[in-house]
Amino acid sequence: VQLQASGGGLAQTGESLTLSCAASGFTLEAYSIGWFRQAPGKEREGVAFINYSDRETYYGASVKGRFTISSGNAKDKVFLQMNSLKPEDTATYYCAAERGSSPTAMFALIGGYELTGQGTQVTVSS
């Protein structure tokens, strides 16, 4: 039972990147899932979360309008489309999931999730 994250990399200001997170060994039907990030010397920050069943979403203020979290047509997999990237988006992004939670609750928790995937680096240059 684990989360498998992929994507990320290098981008310039204004460009786009996509992250994905797949459930391995379980189904996301009863879960909320999303991403938080942490930059060196900074506190963890909730980014975006989605309830896999009803598609309810919650976004952090710093990414709202630029990032979109979705499940698309892929089973047990979610995506984070990051547009209009800024240097301040540079961080390690972690996928996390919590059974029975809501996107709002996951955003407020910012850690200690039931499942957390490996981090993926996103670097945005100016």
Side-chain angles (χ1 to χ4, degrees):
V1 175
Q2 61 181 340
L3 296 172
Q4 296 178 334
S6 62
L10 299 174
Q12 294 188 338
T13 298
E15 292 185 340
S16 300
L17 288 172
T18 302
L19 304 181
S20 65
C21 183
S24 177
F26 70 106
T27 178
L28 289 174
E29 286 300 324
Y31 284 77
S32 285
I33 183 170
W35 280 265
F36 66 94
R37 66 188 182 187
Q38 188 161 24
K42 295 186 178 181
E43 295 185 352
R44 288 178 179 178
E45 178 187 13
V47 177
F49 297 91
I50 186 170
N51 180 284
Y52 190 79
S53 294
D54 65 17
R55 306 295 192 259
E56 176 190 356
T57 59
Y58 190 91
Y59 295 91
S62 63
V63 307
K64 196 170 186 179
R66 299 187 297 121
F67 291 12
T68 302
I69 189 169
S70 66
S71 57
N73 294 321
K75 181 170 173 56
D76 296 324
K77 192 172 186 178
V78 295
F79 303 89
L80 183 68
Q81 177 67 38
M82 304 184 292
N83 297 331
S84 303
L85 284 164
K86 304 175 181 179
E88 49 264 45
D89 294 318
T90 296
T92 301
Y93 285 69
Y94 297 88
C95 176
E98 188 88 3
R99 184 198 301 262
S101 186
S102 70
T104 304
M106 287 198 72
F107 180 84
L109 196 58
I110 315 180
Y113 300 110
E114 178 181 341
L115 293 166
T116 302
Q118 78 276 17
T120 183
Q121 181 66 34
V122 171
T123 302
V124 184
S125 62
S126 58

